[in-house]
Amino acid sequence: MARTVKVAVTGAAGQIGYSILPRLASGEIFGHDTRISLHLLEITPALKALEGVVMEIEDCAFPLVDEVVITDRAEEAFDGVNWALLVGSKPRGKGMERGDLIRENGPIFVGQGKALGKAAEDVRILVVGNPANTNCLIAMHQAEKEGIPRERFAAMTRLDQNRAQAQLAQKAGVEVGDVTNVTIWGNHSATQYPDAENARINGRPVPEVVGDMGWLRGEFIDTVQQRGAAVIAARGLSSAASAANAALDHVMSMEGTTPEGDWFSAAVPSDGSYGIEEGLVFSFPVRIDGQGGCGIVQGVELGDFALEKIAATTAELQEEKAVVAELLK
């Protein structure tokens, strides 16, 4: 018999959820020999909209879908799930400071962290809702009390990696697949450090191929850091399809084995690597060993320029942690 994977998606009626769900249901992510059970969580006022999304899933007649659970209760949504994609969060309003956003979202992730105690023993959690790193830290802290190891948690920086990879490919005139070893260090914010200097194009160092250090240390970094704002300015709405795609890329990378010599980016709880405070949810280069283990890649060379950028994004994450200190007691 085919195995069944239970996946919870929060904020499932939103734009990102709308882009994620058909691809989950199609068999693309977990394989066409794997059945899927979707557990969809929304706030009560959005349940009607979620019903419409589920109608569309039904109308697609996906043969691998076993069941679709709709709920406004986190405990029900997370019951027995193998994956939890925490997409839903309160968006940043006009004039709202980042600290205000963190305080608004904190209680949501406290509750969801506690509810994750209902999940399966092998659950993996990806936090997509912003501010993703600190929301992940809050949920992780609560879930640890419920017996969920912190190693099960990650916040998404795969979107930033994908953006960086695309920019490098365009600059070098190569295919996106030719670009490897792209790292996002730190926070999923405008302080993140997209590291091109350790990336490769067809196995060669990016600086050697591109030949323009001014661009790599200037426009390239600015473009990746500000890409979300640029999408909003052009589209009038935030990134949805690309965010959904990145979340699913993360899931597939976690479910597979990292190609030899390569890595991908994810914000995971620090084990002290590269001098980052232990427990801080920080984006590193990571690898999957094929047995479900996720490890931070060691020995990546970092010069003074990189260390300065990493120090800035670390400071921001420490400031965010201080804002939610009451929720971490």
Side-chain angles (χ1 to χ4, degrees):
M1 294 179 64
R3 69 171 182 141
T4 299
V5 173
K6 294 184 178 182
V7 183
V9 179
T10 75
Q15 289 196 81
I16 295 175
Y18 190 78
S19 296
I20 281 178
L21 294 175
R23 292 180 62 189
L24 282 172
S26 71
E28 173 189 352
I29 307 306
F30 295 101
H32 294 282
D33 59 348
T34 301
R35 303 195 65 77
I36 187 132
S37 172
L38 296 173
H39 290 215
L40 310 182
L41 179 67
E42 260 298 356
I43 57 174
T44 306
L47 287 177
K48 187 67 175 178
L50 184 55
E51 289 176 6
V53 174
V54 173
M55 289 179 194
E56 291 207 67
I57 293 173
E58 293 171 346
D59 293 347
C60 288
F62 293 115
L64 295 173
V65 175
D66 269 351
E67 65 172 347
V68 181
V69 175
I70 300 175
T71 183
D72 58 0
R73 296 179 57 251
E75 293 83 0
E76 183 179 1
F78 296 148
D79 188 18
V81 299
N82 310 105
W83 268 96
L85 306 181
L86 308 189
V87 176
S89 65
K90 183 172 181 177
R92 189 169 181 172
K94 186 175 181 180
M96 182 182 285
E97 297 295 331
R98 188 173 179 87
D100 296 330
L101 180 66
I102 293 168
R103 293 184 191 94
E104 291 276 357
N105 277 300
I108 297 172
F109 287 87
V110 168
Q112 291 185 1
K114 291 178 179 178
L116 282 164
K118 297 288 187 180
E121 288 185 5
D122 66 349
V123 67
R124 284 194 179 277
I125 302 100
L126 174 65
V127 178
V128 177
N130 286 319
N133 294 54
T134 297
N135 287 342
C136 182
L137 178 68
I138 294 167
M140 178 183 78
H141 179 78
Q142 297 298 329
E144 280 189 295
K145 299 175 186 178
E146 305 298 324
I148 306 294
R150 63 174 52 186
E151 292 77 17
R152 298 284 175 182
F153 279 83
M156 188 174 79
T157 54
R158 188 59 172 267
L159 176 56
D160 307 302
Q161 176 193 320
N162 288 351
R163 287 167 169 167
Q165 194 171 345
Q167 291 298 314
L168 293 172
Q170 291 174 20
K171 181 70 172 179
V174 299
E175 299 293 328
V176 171
D178 296 331
V179 183
T180 61
N181 300 81
V182 176
T183 307
I184 304 297
W185 298 91
N187 201 2
H188 175 59
S189 75
T191 68
Q192 64 175 268
Y193 172 50
D195 180 1
E197 295 181 39
N198 283 295
R200 299 287 184 269
I201 294 177
N202 290 317
R204 296 169 57 201
V206 162
E208 179 183 308
V209 176
V210 171
D212 187 346
M213 287 301 295
W215 181 83
L216 290 174
R217 291 187 171 185
E219 184 180 340
F220 164 71
I221 293 174
D222 293 342
T223 298
V224 177
Q225 289 177 336
Q226 301 296 331
R227 189 68 164 186
V231 170
I232 292 173
R235 182 173 177 259
L237 296 167
S238 61
S239 306
S242 57
N245 178 72
L248 296 175
D249 281 348
H250 175 96
V251 172
M252 288 189 288
S253 290
M254 285 287 187
E255 287 281 316
T257 302
T258 309
E260 186 175 355
D262 198 4
W263 57 70
F264 65 97
S265 294
V268 297
S270 173
D271 59 4
S273 293
Y274 300 97
I276 304 303
E277 176 188 338
E278 187 173 349
L280 202 65
V281 177
F282 193 94
S283 186
F284 292 99
V286 299
R287 284 196 186 107
I288 302 301
D289 62 10
Q291 307 299 318
C294 177
I296 296 170
V297 176
Q298 301 298 316
V300 177
E301 294 186 9
L302 300 169
D304 290 343
F305 178 83
L307 291 172
E308 180 181 339
K309 295 292 185 183
I310 289 172
T313 196
T314 302
E316 182 182 58
L317 282 169
Q318 289 170 331
E319 289 170 6
E320 291 186 11
K321 181 182 177 181
V323 170
V324 299
E326 287 296 319
L327 302 180
L328 301 176
K329 287 183 178 178

